Amino acid sequence: MLSRIADSLFWLARYIGRAEDTARILDVTFYTLLEQIQQPHGVRWDPILSMAGEETLFRQLYTEPTAHNVFEFLAFNANNPSSIMQCFTKARENARTIRDRISREMWEDLNGLYFTLGRFDPQEETAAGPHRFCGRVIFGSHRFHGVSDATLPHDEGWEFLRVGWALERAEMTARLIDVQYRNLLALNSSGAIADNHQWMAVLKSVGAYEAYHRQYHSPIEPARVAEMLILNSQHPRSIRYCVTEMQAGLRAISNTAPGSYANEAERLTGKVLERLRYSRIDEILDDGLHAYLTGLIHMFNTIGEVIARTYFYYAAVA
Amino acid sequence: MCLSDRGLFSGYTAGPFYDEMFHSPGCARSHYARLFEKLGVMAPTQFEDRRKHADLSFLLQGITFTVYSDGRGTERLFPFDLIPRILPQSEWARIEAGLSQRVVALNLFLQDVYGKQLIIKDRKIPASLVYSCRHFRREMIGLEVPRGIYTHVCGIDLVRDSATGEFLVLEDNVRTPSGISYVLENRLVMTRTFPEAFQEHEVLPVNHYPAELSRILRTLSPRTEPDSQIVLLTPGIHNSAYFEHSFLAQQMGIELVEGRDLIVDGVVVYMKTIYGLKRVDVIYRRVDDDFLDPLCFRSDSMLGVPGLMGAYRAGNVALANTPGNGVADDKAIYAHVPTMIRYYLDQDPTLRTVDTYLCDRTDHLSHVLSNLPNLVVKSVGESGGYGMLMGPSAARAEIEAFREKILAEPRNYIAQPIVPLSVVPSYDSAAQCMAGRHVDLRPYCLYDGQKVTIVPGGLTRVALEPGSLVVNSSQGGGSKDTWILRGEC
């Protein structure tokens, strides 16, 4: 497989994953915050902006983080490179350059979704609230996964998609917990309201609300939410699950047996995974959750770079 | 086949032109009879539904091309008209024979001008004409090309002259002709849109094209290994024919590569894969000669592969089509193709060409300059309908501007009488009725050095603007499915 094509598949998955994650967080946060109108805008909306990593840009483009502005910025704004529409534009562009290597069904599904989303009117949607738009994005992302799974041969190209999806999710889950945790601890210490609505929102935004209750049969506790989203071995959005997926994908690409590694990307992934497997949540909290998550996010970035150096941009000498 | 109630076709008339479907109002030619029967009873709303379905299917598949004239390079749908262009097999057989003869002669001409140059020495074609072709490549002289093939893929444009009903060759495209993907996609969409029509007609299939092209490319490999690496080289996503490049690569199961995916090391071409460098044996290149190799041709090219021509010269990689082919489809050389056919094959040309005035001949030039409003003037090295003057529809200022250009550079222009192209009924969605629109036909010819294979039919391009004779997609043209019907009608 051409390096350029592998690169495009990897990023195709990442862009769609990013769009879906943004839609999930936007959707859930929006409706949770409707019930907390006594809080000033900034307190309510800053976390979601920092999660997207685009706070500075937002401040340049808007005066106030109102629900309307945040939605417009994260969903539609063409100047925001991580907005949902920009992610889909780039995903489609990537798919177009490799449409001979993806299945016809994948291309038609993504192309159709791109046109469907393009027909949403930003004015109308920002007035109506994000549920309709975000719902379409989330459903579209799921369908694209399904179509890819069912129509693309599960060869190395498929594995690059898989690694891209897993890496994007792992990083987004880490950001989500980090931001919410910091934020809620800050609220608690300042004596402001401490309720579990935002933790509920966190669980809902990764689709883990029902799973949490099945697992713990108890009210929502921040430590358990963190445990579920970091260490759970089965939930498809927990960091541990995503890293397991990354490892499986990377091993399939290089055809490496379990217990060994063929390159730096696999070594780092394996190292992260071992820590996730043998850590307990109280140890992580005792050592400091923020530092732990920051370390993970940094590691995910490094792994992304190392994958690129190993497979996409190596120095070519015959 | 005549119907008094003509339904969708009521009010339709082809005017003074040869009508491919009707021989007189309401009376279809025999090979169109069954289709007319079917469409004649179709309600306009039913037809409109089918049309929308077809359009949507093109949009979803992203079958688009890029136009540059608006400065932004916008993606646009290639308009598709539902009424097929139908030809009986008997008529097609003659066209096929004429095209095969022409392709073989063009290939012999290229072997000759880059080899012994006998046709020049025998004074059949002037040396000055050959050497002044913009696309003549000195770098190709004396180079032995794999299996002696230059014209692996040719798209030869034909038109039917309304005056005589005869098919004429309008131009040859032997560099990197495009459009075959539309032939295959049009057929696919048509079978989905009008399945019942295909049950009643025996339409000759076209979908063996990618397999045949792939077979020919494989025979060019310099290595005998069964796993020879064949790739399609594209300029990239911004090229107007990008859809076709990816379509063909996918259909043939070969890698679609850009210049940046390839490197040349030790006069061998490699592609960069996730498992390291992999040797490349055959390149079906859809990048123009100028941009192929910055070390050999244009040094500012970012699309090509430095050192590619060196590897080609060393025989380590095969290229299709062969560089330098542009000398054979130069519009001034076109006037001499009948001479080539007689010279190399000792045969009379089966297909006639359009009378052509060469502006660098003084006798022709004076005729051209005094008849500009009645002629079409073409720039010899251009394609795609660019650099053209349509005398009868041009404004006076435009004609005068062309006069200046011709006088400044006579070798760069040829002129031809306007051929009144035949028409096929086409749906005018603004007026919501059928109207006669001018068409041409571009069949695609594949040559393996032994025989010429032509998928039955080809691309029928249609000028959708009322009265327009320019069918190029870049100039607002669309296309139709082309049916060759088996057996006699």
Side-chain angles (χ1 to χ4, degrees), chain B residues 63-107:
Chain B
I63 303 178
T64 55
F65 68 96
T66 317
V67 279
Y68 300 105
S69 46
D70 64 354
R72 294 189 308 148
T74 315
E75 245 181 89
R76 208 183 278 172
L77 273 183
F78 189 25
F80 175 67
D81 186 80
L82 277 184
I83 307 296
R85 157 66 150 317
I86 306 180
L87 293 172
Q89 199 171 11
S90 52
E91 188 164 30
W92 172 249
R94 190 171 165 278
I95 293 173
E96 201 177 16
L99 292 172
S100 300
Q101 180 191 50
R102 200 169 172 94
V103 169
V104 172
L106 288 168
N107 197 68

Short mmCIF file of all heavy atoms in Angstrom, two decimals, chain B residues 63-107:
data_model
loop_
_atom_site.label_atom_id
_atom_site.label_comp_id
_atom_site.label_asym_id
_atom_site.label_seq_id
_atom_site.Cartn_x
_atom_site.Cartn_y
_atom_site.Cartn_z
N ILE B 63 -19.40 11.81 -9.70
CA ILE B 63 -18.88 11.77 -11.08
C ILE B 63 -18.90 13.18 -11.61
O ILE B 63 -19.87 13.64 -12.19
CB ILE B 63 -19.72 10.82 -11.95
CG1 ILE B 63 -19.72 9.45 -11.30
CG2 ILE B 63 -19.15 10.76 -13.37
CD1 ILE B 63 -20.53 8.44 -12.02
N THR B 64 -17.81 13.87 -11.35
CA THR B 64 -17.77 15.29 -11.65
C THR B 64 -16.49 15.60 -12.41
O THR B 64 -15.57 14.79 -12.45
CB THR B 64 -17.76 16.10 -10.35
OG1 THR B 64 -16.68 15.65 -9.54
CG2 THR B 64 -19.06 15.91 -9.59
N PHE B 65 -16.44 16.74 -13.02
CA PHE B 65 -15.19 17.20 -13.62
C PHE B 65 -14.96 18.62 -13.13
O PHE B 65 -15.86 19.24 -12.55
CB PHE B 65 -15.25 17.12 -15.15
CG PHE B 65 -16.20 18.09 -15.76
CD1 PHE B 65 -15.76 19.31 -16.24
CD2 PHE B 65 -17.56 17.80 -15.84
CE1 PHE B 65 -16.64 20.21 -16.79
CE2 PHE B 65 -18.45 18.70 -16.39
CZ PHE B 65 -17.99 19.91 -16.87
N THR B 66 -13.78 19.13 -13.33
CA THR B 66 -13.44 20.44 -12.81
C THR B 66 -13.31 21.42 -13.96
O THR B 66 -12.67 21.12 -14.95
CB THR B 66 -12.10 20.35 -12.05
OG1 THR B 66 -12.14 19.17 -11.25
CG2 THR B 66 -11.89 21.54 -11.15
N VAL B 67 -13.94 22.57 -13.83
CA VAL B 67 -13.76 23.61 -14.85
C VAL B 67 -12.88 24.72 -14.31
O VAL B 67 -13.01 25.11 -13.16
CB VAL B 67 -15.10 24.21 -15.34
CG1 VAL B 67 -15.74 23.31 -16.36
CG2 VAL B 67 -16.03 24.48 -14.19
N TYR B 68 -11.99 25.20 -15.15
CA TYR B 68 -11.02 26.19 -14.69
C TYR B 68 -11.38 27.60 -15.12
O TYR B 68 -10.86 28.56 -14.62
CB TYR B 68 -9.64 25.84 -15.24
CG TYR B 68 -9.19 24.49 -14.79
CD1 TYR B 68 -9.21 23.40 -15.64
CD2 TYR B 68 -8.80 24.29 -13.47
CE1 TYR B 68 -8.83 22.16 -15.22
CE2 TYR B 68 -8.42 23.05 -13.03
CZ TYR B 68 -8.43 21.98 -13.90
OH TYR B 68 -8.06 20.75 -13.46
N SER B 69 -12.32 27.70 -16.10
CA SER B 69 -12.58 29.00 -16.71
C SER B 69 -13.09 30.01 -15.68
O SER B 69 -12.87 31.21 -15.83
CB SER B 69 -13.58 28.85 -17.85
OG SER B 69 -14.66 28.05 -17.43
N ASP B 70 -13.75 29.55 -14.61
CA ASP B 70 -14.27 30.51 -13.65
C ASP B 70 -13.23 30.88 -12.59
O ASP B 70 -13.54 31.57 -11.63
CB ASP B 70 -15.55 30.00 -12.98
CG ASP B 70 -15.30 28.73 -12.16
OD1 ASP B 70 -14.17 28.22 -12.21
OD2 ASP B 70 -16.22 28.29 -11.47
N GLY B 71 -11.99 30.40 -12.78
CA GLY B 71 -10.90 30.84 -11.91
C GLY B 71 -10.85 30.11 -10.58
O GLY B 71 -9.90 30.25 -9.83
N ARG B 72 -11.88 29.32 -10.24
CA ARG B 72 -11.89 28.68 -8.94
C ARG B 72 -11.72 27.17 -9.02
O ARG B 72 -11.48 26.51 -8.02
CB ARG B 72 -13.20 28.99 -8.19
CG ARG B 72 -13.35 30.46 -7.84
CD ARG B 72 -14.54 30.64 -6.92
NE ARG B 72 -15.73 30.01 -7.50
CZ ARG B 72 -16.69 29.46 -6.77
NH1 ARG B 72 -16.59 29.42 -5.48
NH2 ARG B 72 -17.75 28.93 -7.36
N GLY B 73 -11.85 26.64 -10.23
CA GLY B 73 -11.73 25.20 -10.37
C GLY B 73 -12.88 24.48 -9.68
O GLY B 73 -12.70 23.68 -8.79
N THR B 74 -14.09 24.80 -10.11
CA THR B 74 -15.28 24.26 -9.45
C THR B 74 -15.59 22.84 -9.93
O THR B 74 -15.44 22.53 -11.09
CB THR B 74 -16.50 25.15 -9.77
OG1 THR B 74 -16.10 26.49 -9.63
CG2 THR B 74 -17.66 24.84 -8.86
N GLU B 75 -16.06 22.02 -9.00
CA GLU B 75 -16.50 20.67 -9.34
C GLU B 75 -17.88 20.75 -9.95
O GLU B 75 -18.78 21.35 -9.38
CB GLU B 75 -16.64 19.89 -8.03
CG GLU B 75 -15.70 18.75 -7.86
CD GLU B 75 -15.98 18.07 -6.54
OE1 GLU B 75 -16.80 17.17 -6.53
OE2 GLU B 75 -15.40 18.49 -5.53
N ARG B 76 -18.06 20.14 -11.10
CA ARG B 76 -19.37 20.22 -11.72
C ARG B 76 -19.79 18.85 -12.25
O ARG B 76 -18.96 18.05 -12.63
CB ARG B 76 -19.29 21.22 -12.88
CG ARG B 76 -20.61 21.87 -13.16
CD ARG B 76 -20.51 22.79 -14.34
NE ARG B 76 -19.97 24.10 -14.04
CZ ARG B 76 -19.66 24.99 -14.98
NH1 ARG B 76 -19.80 24.68 -16.25
NH2 ARG B 76 -19.19 26.17 -14.67
N LEU B 77 -21.10 18.63 -12.26
CA LEU B 77 -21.61 17.39 -12.84
C LEU B 77 -21.50 17.48 -14.35
O LEU B 77 -21.73 18.53 -14.93
CB LEU B 77 -23.09 17.22 -12.50
CG LEU B 77 -23.47 16.54 -11.19
CD1 LEU B 77 -24.98 16.42 -11.12
CD2 LEU B 77 -22.83 15.17 -11.09
N PHE B 78 -21.16 16.36 -14.97
CA PHE B 78 -21.13 16.29 -16.41
C PHE B 78 -22.57 15.95 -16.82
O PHE B 78 -23.04 14.86 -16.53
CB PHE B 78 -20.16 15.18 -16.82
CG PHE B 78 -19.87 15.10 -18.28
CD1 PHE B 78 -19.98 16.21 -19.10
CD2 PHE B 78 -19.45 13.90 -18.84
CE1 PHE B 78 -19.69 16.12 -20.46
CE2 PHE B 78 -19.15 13.81 -20.20
CZ PHE B 78 -19.28 14.93 -21.01
N PRO B 79 -23.31 16.90 -17.44
CA PRO B 79 -24.73 16.64 -17.68
C PRO B 79 -24.94 15.37 -18.52
O PRO B 79 -24.19 15.11 -19.46
CB PRO B 79 -25.19 17.88 -18.47
CG PRO B 79 -24.16 18.91 -18.23
CD PRO B 79 -22.87 18.17 -17.98
N PHE B 80 -25.94 14.62 -18.14
CA PHE B 80 -26.22 13.35 -18.81
C PHE B 80 -27.62 13.43 -19.39
O PHE B 80 -28.57 13.80 -18.71
CB PHE B 80 -26.14 12.21 -17.80
CG PHE B 80 -26.52 10.87 -18.36
CD1 PHE B 80 -25.73 10.26 -19.31
CD2 PHE B 80 -27.69 10.23 -17.95
CE1 PHE B 80 -26.07 9.03 -19.84
CE2 PHE B 80 -28.03 8.99 -18.46
CZ PHE B 80 -27.23 8.40 -19.41
N ASP B 81 -27.75 13.11 -20.67
CA ASP B 81 -29.07 13.12 -21.29
C ASP B 81 -29.55 11.69 -21.47
O ASP B 81 -28.80 10.81 -21.91
CB ASP B 81 -29.03 13.84 -22.64
CG ASP B 81 -30.43 13.97 -23.20
OD1 ASP B 81 -31.16 14.88 -22.77
OD2 ASP B 81 -30.81 13.13 -24.05
N LEU B 82 -30.83 11.48 -21.12
CA LEU B 82 -31.36 10.11 -21.06
C LEU B 82 -31.64 9.45 -22.40
O LEU B 82 -31.73 8.23 -22.48
CB LEU B 82 -32.65 10.11 -20.24
CG LEU B 82 -32.50 10.05 -18.72
CD1 LEU B 82 -33.87 9.96 -18.07
CD2 LEU B 82 -31.66 8.85 -18.31
N ILE B 83 -31.83 10.24 -23.46
CA ILE B 83 -32.15 9.62 -24.75
C ILE B 83 -30.85 9.08 -25.34
O ILE B 83 -29.93 9.84 -25.63
CB ILE B 83 -32.76 10.63 -25.74
CG1 ILE B 83 -33.95 11.34 -25.10
CG2 ILE B 83 -33.18 9.92 -27.03
CD1 ILE B 83 -35.12 10.46 -24.76
N PRO B 84 -30.73 7.76 -25.51
CA PRO B 84 -29.46 7.21 -25.98
C PRO B 84 -29.20 7.51 -27.46
O PRO B 84 -30.13 7.77 -28.22
CB PRO B 84 -29.63 5.70 -25.77
CG PRO B 84 -31.10 5.47 -25.80
CD PRO B 84 -31.74 6.71 -25.25
N ARG B 85 -27.94 7.49 -27.80
CA ARG B 85 -27.52 7.56 -29.21
C ARG B 85 -27.42 6.10 -29.67
O ARG B 85 -26.67 5.33 -29.10
CB ARG B 85 -26.16 8.24 -29.24
CG ARG B 85 -25.27 7.97 -30.44
CD ARG B 85 -25.88 8.52 -31.66
NE ARG B 85 -25.05 8.98 -32.75
CZ ARG B 85 -23.94 9.68 -32.76
NH1 ARG B 85 -23.34 10.00 -31.67
NH2 ARG B 85 -23.40 10.06 -33.89
N ILE B 86 -28.20 5.74 -30.68
CA ILE B 86 -28.23 4.34 -31.13
C ILE B 86 -27.68 4.23 -32.55
O ILE B 86 -28.02 5.04 -33.42
CB ILE B 86 -29.67 3.76 -31.09
CG1 ILE B 86 -30.29 3.95 -29.70
CG2 ILE B 86 -29.66 2.28 -31.46
CD1 ILE B 86 -31.71 3.41 -29.57
N LEU B 87 -26.83 3.23 -32.76
CA LEU B 87 -26.34 2.93 -34.11
C LEU B 87 -26.51 1.43 -34.35
O LEU B 87 -26.29 0.63 -33.44
CB LEU B 87 -24.85 3.28 -34.24
CG LEU B 87 -24.46 4.76 -34.18
CD1 LEU B 87 -22.95 4.90 -34.12
CD2 LEU B 87 -25.03 5.53 -35.36
N PRO B 88 -26.90 1.06 -35.56
CA PRO B 88 -27.00 -0.37 -35.86
C PRO B 88 -25.61 -0.96 -36.04
O PRO B 88 -24.66 -0.25 -36.40
CB PRO B 88 -27.79 -0.41 -37.17
CG PRO B 88 -27.62 0.94 -37.78
CD PRO B 88 -27.34 1.91 -36.67
N GLN B 89 -25.49 -2.27 -35.81
CA GLN B 89 -24.18 -2.92 -35.86
C GLN B 89 -23.52 -2.79 -37.23
O GLN B 89 -22.31 -2.66 -37.33
CB GLN B 89 -24.31 -4.39 -35.47
CG GLN B 89 -22.98 -5.00 -35.06
CD GLN B 89 -23.14 -6.39 -34.47
OE1 GLN B 89 -24.20 -7.00 -34.55
NE2 GLN B 89 -22.09 -6.90 -33.87
N SER B 90 -24.35 -2.79 -38.28
CA SER B 90 -23.79 -2.70 -39.64
C SER B 90 -23.03 -1.39 -39.82
O SER B 90 -21.91 -1.37 -40.34
CB SER B 90 -24.91 -2.81 -40.67
OG SER B 90 -25.92 -1.86 -40.37
N GLU B 91 -23.61 -0.30 -39.33
CA GLU B 91 -22.94 0.99 -39.47
C GLU B 91 -21.69 1.04 -38.59
O GLU B 91 -20.64 1.55 -38.98
CB GLU B 91 -23.89 2.12 -39.10
CG GLU B 91 -23.33 3.49 -39.41
CD GLU B 91 -24.38 4.59 -39.40
OE1 GLU B 91 -25.37 4.45 -38.66
OE2 GLU B 91 -24.20 5.58 -40.13
N TRP B 92 -21.81 0.46 -37.40
CA TRP B 92 -20.68 0.44 -36.46
C TRP B 92 -19.50 -0.34 -37.05
O TRP B 92 -18.34 0.05 -36.89
CB TRP B 92 -21.11 -0.16 -35.12
CG TRP B 92 -19.96 -0.39 -34.20
CD1 TRP B 92 -19.45 -1.58 -33.79
CD2 TRP B 92 -19.13 0.62 -33.60
NE1 TRP B 92 -18.37 -1.40 -32.97
CE2 TRP B 92 -18.14 -0.05 -32.84
CE3 TRP B 92 -19.13 2.02 -33.64
CZ2 TRP B 92 -17.18 0.64 -32.12
CZ3 TRP B 92 -18.16 2.69 -32.92
CH2 TRP B 92 -17.20 2.01 -32.17
N ALA B 93 -19.80 -1.44 -37.75
CA ALA B 93 -18.73 -2.28 -38.28
C ALA B 93 -17.83 -1.47 -39.21
O ALA B 93 -16.60 -1.61 -39.19
CB ALA B 93 -19.33 -3.48 -39.02
N ARG B 94 -18.44 -0.61 -40.00
CA ARG B 94 -17.65 0.21 -40.92
C ARG B 94 -16.80 1.23 -40.15
O ARG B 94 -15.62 1.44 -40.45
CB ARG B 94 -18.60 0.93 -41.88
CG ARG B 94 -17.87 1.60 -43.01
CD ARG B 94 -18.80 2.12 -44.07
NE ARG B 94 -18.05 3.04 -44.92
CZ ARG B 94 -17.83 4.31 -44.61
NH1 ARG B 94 -18.34 4.81 -43.51
NH2 ARG B 94 -17.10 5.08 -45.42
N ILE B 95 -17.40 1.81 -39.13
CA ILE B 95 -16.66 2.77 -38.30
C ILE B 95 -15.47 2.08 -37.64
O ILE B 95 -14.34 2.58 -37.64
CB ILE B 95 -17.59 3.36 -37.21
CG1 ILE B 95 -18.67 4.22 -37.85
CG2 ILE B 95 -16.80 4.17 -36.18
CD1 ILE B 95 -19.74 4.70 -36.87
N GLU B 96 -15.74 0.89 -37.12
CA GLU B 96 -14.70 0.14 -36.41
C GLU B 96 -13.53 -0.16 -37.35
O GLU B 96 -12.36 0.03 -36.98
CB GLU B 96 -15.32 -1.16 -35.91
CG GLU B 96 -14.58 -1.80 -34.78
CD GLU B 96 -15.28 -3.06 -34.27
OE1 GLU B 96 -16.17 -3.59 -34.98
OE2 GLU B 96 -14.94 -3.51 -33.17
N ALA B 97 -13.86 -0.57 -38.57
CA ALA B 97 -12.80 -0.88 -39.54
C ALA B 97 -12.00 0.38 -39.84
O ALA B 97 -10.76 0.36 -39.91
CB ALA B 97 -13.41 -1.45 -40.81
N GLY B 98 -12.70 1.50 -40.02
CA GLY B 98 -12.02 2.76 -40.35
C GLY B 98 -11.13 3.23 -39.22
O GLY B 98 -10.02 3.73 -39.44
N LEU B 99 -11.59 3.06 -37.98
CA LEU B 99 -10.79 3.50 -36.83
C LEU B 99 -9.55 2.62 -36.67
O LEU B 99 -8.45 3.12 -36.39
CB LEU B 99 -11.63 3.45 -35.56
CG LEU B 99 -12.79 4.45 -35.46
CD1 LEU B 99 -13.64 4.14 -34.22
CD2 LEU B 99 -12.26 5.88 -35.38
N SER B 100 -9.72 1.32 -36.84
CA SER B 100 -8.59 0.40 -36.68
C SER B 100 -7.50 0.77 -37.68
O SER B 100 -6.30 0.84 -37.32
CB SER B 100 -9.02 -1.05 -36.94
OG SER B 100 -10.01 -1.41 -36.02
N GLN B 101 -7.92 0.99 -38.91
CA GLN B 101 -6.98 1.37 -39.96
C GLN B 101 -6.22 2.64 -39.57
O GLN B 101 -5.00 2.73 -39.70
CB GLN B 101 -7.81 1.61 -41.23
CG GLN B 101 -7.04 2.01 -42.45
CD GLN B 101 -8.01 2.48 -43.53
OE1 GLN B 101 -8.89 3.31 -43.30
NE2 GLN B 101 -7.84 1.92 -44.73
N ARG B 102 -6.96 3.59 -39.03
CA ARG B 102 -6.38 4.88 -38.67
C ARG B 102 -5.38 4.74 -37.51
O ARG B 102 -4.29 5.32 -37.54
CB ARG B 102 -7.50 5.84 -38.29
CG ARG B 102 -7.13 7.28 -38.35
CD ARG B 102 -8.35 8.17 -38.23
NE ARG B 102 -7.94 9.55 -38.10
CZ ARG B 102 -7.82 10.39 -39.11
NH1 ARG B 102 -8.11 10.02 -40.34
NH2 ARG B 102 -7.40 11.64 -38.89
N VAL B 103 -5.74 3.96 -36.50
CA VAL B 103 -4.87 3.80 -35.34
C VAL B 103 -3.56 3.12 -35.75
O VAL B 103 -2.47 3.54 -35.34
CB VAL B 103 -5.57 2.98 -34.22
CG1 VAL B 103 -4.58 2.57 -33.14
CG2 VAL B 103 -6.72 3.78 -33.63
N VAL B 104 -3.66 2.09 -36.59
CA VAL B 104 -2.45 1.39 -37.03
C VAL B 104 -1.55 2.35 -37.83
O VAL B 104 -0.34 2.39 -37.62
CB VAL B 104 -2.83 0.14 -37.88
CG1 VAL B 104 -1.59 -0.47 -38.51
CG2 VAL B 104 -3.55 -0.87 -37.01
N ALA B 105 -2.17 3.17 -38.68
CA ALA B 105 -1.38 4.12 -39.47
C ALA B 105 -0.72 5.16 -38.59
O ALA B 105 0.45 5.51 -38.79
CB ALA B 105 -2.28 4.78 -40.52
N LEU B 106 -1.45 5.65 -37.59
CA LEU B 106 -0.87 6.66 -36.69
C LEU B 106 0.32 6.07 -35.93
O LEU B 106 1.34 6.74 -35.71
CB LEU B 106 -1.92 7.18 -35.71
CG LEU B 106 -3.01 8.08 -36.30
CD1 LEU B 106 -4.15 8.29 -35.31
CD2 LEU B 106 -2.42 9.43 -36.72
N ASN B 107 0.18 4.81 -35.52
CA ASN B 107 1.27 4.17 -34.80
C ASN B 107 2.50 4.01 -35.71
O ASN B 107 3.63 4.28 -35.29
CB ASN B 107 0.82 2.81 -34.26
CG ASN B 107 1.74 2.29 -33.18
OD1 ASN B 107 1.79 2.84 -32.09
ND2 ASN B 107 2.50 1.25 -33.49
#
